[in-house]
Amino acid sequence: MNWDDRPHEDAAALAPERLVGASADGEEQAVEAALRPKDLGEFIGQEKVREQLDLVLRAARARGATADHVLLSGAPGLGKTTLSMIIAAEMGAPIRITSGPAIQHAGDLAAILSSLQEGEVLFLDEIHRMSRPAEEMLYMAMEDFRVDVVVGKGPGATAIPLELPPFTLVGATTRAGLLPPPLRDRFGFTAHMEFYAPEELERVVHRSALLLDVEIDADGAAEIAGRSRGTPRIANRLLRRVRDYAQVKADGVITRDVASAALKVYEVDSRGLDRLDRGVLEALLRLFGGGPVGLSTLAVAVGEERETVEEVAEPFLVREGLLARTPRGRVATPAAWAHLGLTPPNAAAPGAARSGQGGQGDLFGA
Ligand SMILES: Nc1ncnc2c1ncn2[C@@H]1O[C@H](COP(=O)(O)OP(=O)(O)OP(=O)(O)O)[C@@H](O)[C@H]1O
Ligand SMILES: [Mg+2]
């Protein structure tokens, strides 16, 4: 694979403004800052990662040394940025935040690296999107705490070595598979962040409700957690929308009924599927008898771009076990039929319609 041909498009660009989208825009990031856990103890879930990271940081502190470089890999909204800030806080170190796309030239990186203080945490978000020359400079900086600054051009160019203070690089990526192995290997510790269990998301919702000063009961939190696609960012976002509804339409308290009614308005169903997801699933079931059908045909039927179906809707449907990608095309699973309240064709009684039996059911659970 050519590392310079990495895809830059992501799901967020294809479908902005999605309530159940996992990415955050600038405005949302400001809201999120207030909800970020500040230390490892406050960070919910990810038991393995927390335990491992706790050891790495404790040992470094005990040695009076700078912590090893850490790579955080995981889907959007699972807490990578949050953890990077926690790492700095736990080490009592300042943090510098930048991202792969912001570093266009090796010189940009050299400027950042040479201005780091001893022990500082450098957070490099979307590290898989750094330019190749910057990446090569980073290898040396990570390993030897040194960079070669090239002065001049052509045969007369000279490399001036520059010593760097020890620092901790925290890299974050949603696509660890796209990192060149030499870069991946230079991290002392890699944390693989998983999607959260419903009970963990319930705790996230309770914690955020407390910070936002919203009253919520256990069932209300469970209802929101169950529709949050395993992602704290989505849980927090749904909570904010449900809070609006509770203030306007109810007495401000979030119960199960209030949460379901609110999320019905926002078209987020009991499993966290939104309009787009359900549109894809419905087309697959009602028009193509559950498949197999080719991606392009399915996209035309839904009235969306191929990429939108493939990169925005399908990953979650596959993860939920509702849709399978097979060599012959997209196929619905029995769970998909059950979720939409439809009967699969071969299970139907002779003479019964192929689909559309049993109606839509109430997916919103309101
Ligand atoms: N373990 C957690 N406990 C409580 N809240 C969390 C946890 N993880 C994430 N959050 C909340 O979810 C939101 C998103 O987290 P964060 O910004 O760290 O995700 P990210 O992995 O950096 O996403 P991206 O890939 O888009 O950069 C934050 O507001 C944060 O408060
Ligand atoms: Mg982030």
mmCIF file of all heavy atoms in Angstrom, residues 6-44:
data_model
loop_
_atom_site.group_PDB
_atom_site.id
_atom_site.type_symbol
_atom_site.label_atom_id
_atom_site.label_comp_id
_atom_site.label_asym_id
_atom_site.label_seq_id
_atom_site.Cartn_x
_atom_site.Cartn_y
_atom_site.Cartn_z
ATOM 1 N N ARG A 6 -3.717 7.739 1.242
ATOM 2 C CA ARG A 6 -4.693 7.424 2.284
ATOM 3 C C ARG A 6 -5.996 8.174 2.060
ATOM 4 O O ARG A 6 -5.974 9.332 1.665
ATOM 5 C CB ARG A 6 -4.129 7.822 3.642
ATOM 6 C CG ARG A 6 -2.967 6.948 3.978
ATOM 7 C CD ARG A 6 -2.209 7.571 5.096
ATOM 8 N NE ARG A 6 -0.825 7.664 4.723
ATOM 9 C CZ ARG A 6 0.121 8.100 5.530
ATOM 10 N NH1 ARG A 6 -0.167 8.508 6.721
ATOM 11 N NH2 ARG A 6 1.345 8.130 5.128
ATOM 12 N N PRO A 7 -7.117 7.543 2.313
ATOM 13 C CA PRO A 7 -8.380 8.245 2.130
ATOM 14 C C PRO A 7 -8.495 9.402 3.127
ATOM 15 O O PRO A 7 -8.122 9.248 4.273
ATOM 16 C CB PRO A 7 -9.430 7.177 2.428
ATOM 17 C CG PRO A 7 -8.738 6.086 3.148
ATOM 18 C CD PRO A 7 -7.289 6.171 2.790
ATOM 19 N N HIS A 8 -8.950 10.530 2.661
ATOM 20 C CA HIS A 8 -9.112 11.669 3.555
ATOM 21 C C HIS A 8 -10.570 11.930 3.870
ATOM 22 O O HIS A 8 -10.917 12.617 4.798
ATOM 23 C CB HIS A 8 -8.491 12.924 2.935
ATOM 24 C CG HIS A 8 -7.002 12.938 3.095
ATOM 25 N ND1 HIS A 8 -6.261 14.075 3.074
ATOM 26 C CD2 HIS A 8 -6.138 11.932 3.303
ATOM 27 C CE1 HIS A 8 -4.981 13.782 3.246
ATOM 28 N NE2 HIS A 8 -4.892 12.482 3.381
ATOM 29 N N GLU A 9 -11.422 11.358 3.064
ATOM 30 C CA GLU A 9 -12.854 11.555 3.239
ATOM 31 C C GLU A 9 -13.282 10.795 4.482
ATOM 32 O O GLU A 9 -12.809 9.715 4.739
ATOM 33 C CB GLU A 9 -13.553 10.932 2.035
ATOM 34 C CG GLU A 9 -14.986 11.357 1.891
ATOM 35 C CD GLU A 9 -15.081 12.628 1.069
ATOM 36 O OE1 GLU A 9 -14.844 12.568 -0.137
ATOM 37 O OE2 GLU A 9 -15.403 13.650 1.659
ATOM 38 N N ASP A 10 -14.151 11.358 5.265
ATOM 39 C CA ASP A 10 -14.694 10.544 6.341
ATOM 40 C C ASP A 10 -16.198 10.712 6.394
ATOM 41 O O ASP A 10 -16.789 11.515 5.687
ATOM 42 C CB ASP A 10 -14.020 10.840 7.682
ATOM 43 C CG ASP A 10 -14.208 12.278 8.095
ATOM 44 O OD1 ASP A 10 -15.043 12.961 7.449
ATOM 45 O OD2 ASP A 10 -13.538 12.717 9.025
ATOM 46 N N ALA A 11 -16.787 9.882 7.228
ATOM 47 C CA ALA A 11 -18.245 9.839 7.281
ATOM 48 C C ALA A 11 -18.839 11.201 7.630
ATOM 49 O O ALA A 11 -19.907 11.564 7.163
ATOM 50 C CB ALA A 11 -18.693 8.783 8.286
ATOM 51 N N ALA A 12 -18.110 11.971 8.454
ATOM 52 C CA ALA A 12 -18.636 13.257 8.891
ATOM 53 C C ALA A 12 -18.849 14.188 7.705
ATOM 54 O O ALA A 12 -19.833 14.925 7.635
ATOM 55 C CB ALA A 12 -17.666 13.897 9.873
ATOM 56 N N ALA A 13 -17.930 14.142 6.734
ATOM 57 C CA ALA A 13 -18.040 15.033 5.588
ATOM 58 C C ALA A 13 -19.204 14.622 4.688
ATOM 59 O O ALA A 13 -19.819 15.456 4.032
ATOM 60 C CB ALA A 13 -16.739 15.017 4.806
ATOM 61 N N LEU A 14 -19.511 13.331 4.683
ATOM 62 C CA LEU A 14 -20.580 12.836 3.811
ATOM 63 C C LEU A 14 -21.966 13.130 4.369
ATOM 64 O O LEU A 14 -22.918 13.291 3.631
ATOM 65 C CB LEU A 14 -20.433 11.323 3.605
ATOM 66 C CG LEU A 14 -19.256 10.889 2.730
ATOM 67 C CD1 LEU A 14 -19.013 9.402 2.874
ATOM 68 C CD2 LEU A 14 -19.525 11.239 1.279
ATOM 69 N N ALA A 15 -22.083 13.121 5.663
ATOM 70 C CA ALA A 15 -23.394 13.354 6.262
ATOM 71 C C ALA A 15 -23.265 14.235 7.498
ATOM 72 O O ALA A 15 -23.317 13.763 8.617
ATOM 73 C CB ALA A 15 -24.046 12.018 6.628
ATOM 74 N N PRO A 16 -23.073 15.540 7.286
ATOM 75 C CA PRO A 16 -22.965 16.420 8.448
ATOM 76 C C PRO A 16 -24.330 16.539 9.138
ATOM 77 O O PRO A 16 -25.331 16.129 8.575
ATOM 78 C CB PRO A 16 -22.532 17.748 7.833
ATOM 79 C CG PRO A 16 -22.940 17.692 6.406
ATOM 80 C CD PRO A 16 -23.035 16.251 6.024
ATOM 81 N N GLU A 17 -24.352 17.082 10.327
ATOM 82 C CA GLU A 17 -25.605 17.348 11.019
ATOM 83 C C GLU A 17 -26.418 16.112 11.322
ATOM 84 O O GLU A 17 -27.625 16.133 11.336
ATOM 85 C CB GLU A 17 -26.515 18.269 10.185
ATOM 86 C CG GLU A 17 -25.805 19.333 9.428
ATOM 87 C CD GLU A 17 -26.174 20.717 9.912
ATOM 88 O OE1 GLU A 17 -27.355 20.939 10.193
ATOM 89 O OE2 GLU A 17 -25.261 21.540 10.021
ATOM 90 N N ARG A 18 -25.775 15.021 11.552
ATOM 91 C CA ARG A 18 -26.503 13.804 11.862
ATOM 92 C C ARG A 18 -26.540 13.658 13.374
ATOM 93 O O ARG A 18 -25.491 13.676 14.001
ATOM 94 C CB ARG A 18 -25.719 12.640 11.281
ATOM 95 C CG ARG A 18 -26.534 11.705 10.487
ATOM 96 C CD ARG A 18 -25.655 10.558 10.086
ATOM 97 N NE ARG A 18 -26.465 9.366 10.075
ATOM 98 C CZ ARG A 18 -25.989 8.168 10.287
ATOM 99 N NH1 ARG A 18 -24.726 8.009 10.576
ATOM 100 N NH2 ARG A 18 -26.783 7.145 10.239
ATOM 101 N N LEU A 19 -27.714 13.475 13.937
ATOM 102 C CA LEU A 19 -27.812 13.384 15.393
ATOM 103 C C LEU A 19 -27.050 12.183 15.929
ATOM 104 O O LEU A 19 -26.510 12.212 17.028
ATOM 105 C CB LEU A 19 -29.290 13.316 15.812
ATOM 106 C CG LEU A 19 -29.579 13.648 17.267
ATOM 107 C CD1 LEU A 19 -29.059 15.011 17.655
ATOM 108 C CD2 LEU A 19 -31.070 13.549 17.547
ATOM 109 N N VAL A 20 -27.025 11.107 15.150
ATOM 110 C CA VAL A 20 -26.308 9.921 15.615
ATOM 111 C C VAL A 20 -24.945 9.775 14.936
ATOM 112 O O VAL A 20 -24.327 8.730 14.999
ATOM 113 C CB VAL A 20 -27.126 8.623 15.417
ATOM 114 C CG1 VAL A 20 -28.343 8.630 16.314
ATOM 115 C CG2 VAL A 20 -27.501 8.445 13.962
ATOM 116 N N GLY A 21 -24.473 10.837 14.275
ATOM 117 C CA GLY A 21 -23.127 10.804 13.707
ATOM 118 C C GLY A 21 -22.123 10.835 14.856
ATOM 119 O O GLY A 21 -22.382 11.447 15.882
ATOM 120 N N ALA A 22 -20.978 10.186 14.659
ATOM 121 C CA ALA A 22 -20.046 10.079 15.785
ATOM 122 C C ALA A 22 -19.045 11.235 15.847
ATOM 123 O O ALA A 22 -18.354 11.388 16.832
ATOM 124 C CB ALA A 22 -19.302 8.750 15.736
ATOM 125 N N SER A 23 -18.990 12.072 14.795
ATOM 126 C CA SER A 23 -18.024 13.166 14.807
ATOM 127 C C SER A 23 -18.642 14.427 15.400
ATOM 128 O O SER A 23 -19.849 14.564 15.437
ATOM 129 C CB SER A 23 -17.549 13.470 13.391
ATOM 130 O OG SER A 23 -17.143 12.289 12.771
ATOM 131 N N ALA A 24 -17.759 15.338 15.815
ATOM 132 C CA ALA A 24 -18.235 16.584 16.408
ATOM 133 C C ALA A 24 -17.727 17.769 15.606
ATOM 134 O O ALA A 24 -16.588 17.774 15.168
ATOM 135 C CB ALA A 24 -17.737 16.691 17.842
ATOM 136 N N ASP A 25 -18.582 18.791 15.408
ATOM 137 C CA ASP A 25 -18.091 19.999 14.748
ATOM 138 C C ASP A 25 -17.561 20.953 15.824
ATOM 139 O O ASP A 25 -17.607 20.668 17.020
ATOM 140 C CB ASP A 25 -19.199 20.654 13.910
ATOM 141 C CG ASP A 25 -20.384 21.067 14.769
ATOM 142 O OD1 ASP A 25 -20.244 21.092 16.005
ATOM 143 O OD2 ASP A 25 -21.439 21.360 14.190
ATOM 144 N N GLY A 26 -17.067 22.101 15.382
ATOM 145 C CA GLY A 26 -16.435 23.035 16.307
ATOM 146 C C GLY A 26 -17.335 23.454 17.462
ATOM 147 O O GLY A 26 -16.905 23.491 18.618
ATOM 148 N N GLU A 27 -18.595 23.744 17.154
ATOM 149 C CA GLU A 27 -19.505 24.207 18.178
ATOM 150 C C GLU A 27 -19.724 23.139 19.246
ATOM 151 O O GLU A 27 -19.721 23.406 20.441
ATOM 152 C CB GLU A 27 -20.838 24.533 17.501
ATOM 153 C CG GLU A 27 -21.690 25.520 18.241
ATOM 154 C CD GLU A 27 -22.926 25.845 17.404
ATOM 155 O OE1 GLU A 27 -22.761 26.184 16.203
ATOM 156 O OE2 GLU A 27 -24.028 25.723 17.919
ATOM 157 N N GLU A 28 -19.891 21.908 18.756
ATOM 158 C CA GLU A 28 -20.127 20.824 19.701
ATOM 159 C C GLU A 28 -18.917 20.573 20.587
ATOM 160 O O GLU A 28 -19.039 20.243 21.759
ATOM 161 C CB GLU A 28 -20.492 19.545 18.944
ATOM 162 C CG GLU A 28 -20.711 18.372 19.890
ATOM 163 C CD GLU A 28 -21.524 17.267 19.262
ATOM 164 O OE1 GLU A 28 -21.251 16.948 18.094
ATOM 165 O OE2 GLU A 28 -22.422 16.737 19.930
ATOM 166 N N GLN A 29 -17.722 20.761 19.998
ATOM 167 C CA GLN A 29 -16.511 20.536 20.783
ATOM 168 C C GLN A 29 -16.459 21.451 22.000
ATOM 169 O O GLN A 29 -15.986 21.059 23.061
ATOM 170 C CB GLN A 29 -15.272 20.733 19.904
ATOM 171 C CG GLN A 29 -15.038 19.536 18.987
ATOM 172 C CD GLN A 29 -14.065 19.839 17.854
ATOM 173 O OE1 GLN A 29 -13.374 20.845 17.871
ATOM 174 N NE2 GLN A 29 -14.025 18.967 16.868
ATOM 175 N N ALA A 30 -16.991 22.674 21.835
ATOM 176 C CA ALA A 30 -17.003 23.602 22.957
ATOM 177 C C ALA A 30 -17.918 23.078 24.058
ATOM 178 O O ALA A 30 -17.584 23.113 25.244
ATOM 179 C CB ALA A 30 -17.454 24.980 22.487
ATOM 180 N N VAL A 31 -19.087 22.576 23.665
ATOM 181 C CA VAL A 31 -20.029 22.022 24.638
ATOM 182 C C VAL A 31 -19.393 20.816 25.332
ATOM 183 O O VAL A 31 -19.537 20.618 26.534
ATOM 184 C CB VAL A 31 -21.338 21.586 23.937
ATOM 185 C CG1 VAL A 31 -22.335 21.062 24.946
ATOM 186 C CG2 VAL A 31 -21.919 22.739 23.144
ATOM 187 N N GLU A 32 -18.694 20.011 24.532
ATOM 188 C CA GLU A 32 -18.106 18.779 25.063
ATOM 189 C C GLU A 32 -17.035 19.044 26.118
ATOM 190 O O GLU A 32 -16.872 18.260 27.043
ATOM 191 C CB GLU A 32 -17.465 17.968 23.930
ATOM 192 C CG GLU A 32 -18.469 17.229 23.103
ATOM 193 C CD GLU A 32 -17.805 16.295 22.111
ATOM 194 O OE1 GLU A 32 -16.608 16.477 21.830
ATOM 195 O OE2 GLU A 32 -18.501 15.385 21.642
ATOM 196 N N ALA A 33 -16.309 20.135 25.915
ATOM 197 C CA ALA A 33 -15.207 20.419 26.833
ATOM 198 C C ALA A 33 -15.702 20.405 28.275
ATOM 199 O O ALA A 33 -15.006 19.938 29.180
ATOM 200 C CB ALA A 33 -14.574 21.754 26.474
ATOM 201 N N ALA A 34 -16.917 20.894 28.474
ATOM 202 C CA ALA A 34 -17.464 20.974 29.827
ATOM 203 C C ALA A 34 -17.785 19.598 30.400
ATOM 204 O O ALA A 34 -17.899 19.439 31.610
ATOM 205 C CB ALA A 34 -18.729 21.837 29.808
ATOM 206 N N LEU A 35 -17.932 18.621 29.537
ATOM 207 C CA LEU A 35 -18.346 17.294 29.999
ATOM 208 C C LEU A 35 -17.184 16.304 30.086
ATOM 209 O O LEU A 35 -17.372 15.157 30.461
ATOM 210 C CB LEU A 35 -19.418 16.726 29.058
ATOM 211 C CG LEU A 35 -20.712 17.528 28.935
ATOM 212 C CD1 LEU A 35 -21.648 16.871 27.936
ATOM 213 C CD2 LEU A 35 -21.411 17.641 30.288
ATOM 214 N N ARG A 36 -16.000 16.748 29.734
ATOM 215 C CA ARG A 36 -14.864 15.825 29.735
ATOM 216 C C ARG A 36 -14.435 15.436 31.138
ATOM 217 O O ARG A 36 -14.175 16.302 31.956
ATOM 218 C CB ARG A 36 -13.648 16.493 29.076
ATOM 219 C CG ARG A 36 -13.690 16.481 27.596
ATOM 220 C CD ARG A 36 -12.344 16.941 27.046
ATOM 221 N NE ARG A 36 -12.503 17.499 25.725
ATOM 222 C CZ ARG A 36 -12.789 16.800 24.653
ATOM 223 N NH1 ARG A 36 -12.948 15.496 24.760
ATOM 224 N NH2 ARG A 36 -12.934 17.373 23.481
ATOM 225 N N PRO A 37 -14.285 14.139 31.376
ATOM 226 C CA PRO A 37 -13.689 13.718 32.646
ATOM 227 C C PRO A 37 -12.265 14.252 32.734
ATOM 228 O O PRO A 37 -11.578 14.336 31.723
ATOM 229 C CB PRO A 37 -13.671 12.187 32.542
ATOM 230 C CG PRO A 37 -14.563 11.834 31.404
ATOM 231 C CD PRO A 37 -14.625 13.018 30.504
ATOM 232 N N LYS A 38 -11.853 14.629 33.960
ATOM 233 C CA LYS A 38 -10.551 15.293 34.110
ATOM 234 C C LYS A 38 -9.432 14.353 34.540
ATOM 235 O O LYS A 38 -8.268 14.663 34.392
ATOM 236 C CB LYS A 38 -10.657 16.425 35.131
ATOM 237 C CG LYS A 38 -11.681 17.492 34.753
ATOM 238 C CD LYS A 38 -11.078 18.531 33.823
ATOM 239 C CE LYS A 38 -12.050 19.642 33.487
ATOM 240 N NZ LYS A 38 -13.079 19.246 32.495
ATOM 241 N N ASP A 39 -9.780 13.215 35.139
ATOM 242 C CA ASP A 39 -8.724 12.269 35.511
ATOM 243 C C ASP A 39 -9.188 10.837 35.259
ATOM 244 O O ASP A 39 -10.359 10.593 34.968
ATOM 245 C CB ASP A 39 -8.256 12.479 36.951
ATOM 246 C CG ASP A 39 -9.394 12.360 37.944
ATOM 247 O OD1 ASP A 39 -10.229 11.451 37.784
ATOM 248 O OD2 ASP A 39 -9.460 13.182 38.883
ATOM 249 N N LEU A 40 -8.257 9.900 35.391
ATOM 250 C CA LEU A 40 -8.564 8.502 35.070
ATOM 251 C C LEU A 40 -9.712 7.966 35.911
ATOM 252 O O LEU A 40 -10.523 7.180 35.442
ATOM 253 C CB LEU A 40 -7.321 7.621 35.270
ATOM 254 C CG LEU A 40 -6.380 7.467 34.084
ATOM 255 C CD1 LEU A 40 -5.295 6.454 34.420
ATOM 256 C CD2 LEU A 40 -7.144 7.004 32.832
ATOM 257 N N GLY A 41 -9.775 8.393 37.156
ATOM 258 C CA GLY A 41 -10.836 7.923 38.050
ATOM 259 C C GLY A 41 -12.216 8.309 37.550
ATOM 260 O O GLY A 41 -13.190 7.584 37.758
ATOM 261 N N GLU A 42 -12.308 9.454 36.891
ATOM 262 C CA GLU A 42 -13.594 9.947 36.406
ATOM 263 C C GLU A 42 -13.962 9.340 35.052
ATOM 264 O O GLU A 42 -15.104 9.431 34.612
ATOM 265 C CB GLU A 42 -13.478 11.468 36.217
ATOM 266 C CG GLU A 42 -14.322 12.319 37.133
ATOM 267 C CD GLU A 42 -14.258 13.761 36.686
ATOM 268 O OE1 GLU A 42 -13.211 14.412 36.920
ATOM 269 O OE2 GLU A 42 -15.214 14.251 36.079
ATOM 270 N N PHE A 43 -12.966 8.787 34.387
ATOM 271 C CA PHE A 43 -13.169 8.248 33.035
ATOM 272 C C PHE A 43 -13.942 6.932 33.142
ATOM 273 O O PHE A 43 -13.514 6.003 33.816
ATOM 274 C CB PHE A 43 -11.805 8.031 32.366
ATOM 275 C CG PHE A 43 -11.863 7.796 30.887
ATOM 276 C CD1 PHE A 43 -12.000 8.854 29.999
ATOM 277 C CD2 PHE A 43 -11.788 6.506 30.375
ATOM 278 C CE1 PHE A 43 -12.043 8.644 28.625
ATOM 279 C CE2 PHE A 43 -11.832 6.285 29.007
ATOM 280 C CZ PHE A 43 -11.959 7.354 28.131
ATOM 281 N N ILE A 44 -15.072 6.866 32.491
ATOM 282 C CA ILE A 44 -15.963 5.703 32.623
ATOM 283 C C ILE A 44 -15.616 4.625 31.599
ATOM 284 O O ILE A 44 -15.295 4.937 30.452
ATOM 285 C CB ILE A 44 -17.426 6.175 32.451
ATOM 286 C CG1 ILE A 44 -17.811 7.081 33.629
ATOM 287 C CG2 ILE A 44 -18.378 4.988 32.333
ATOM 288 C CD1 ILE A 44 -19.037 7.937 33.371
#
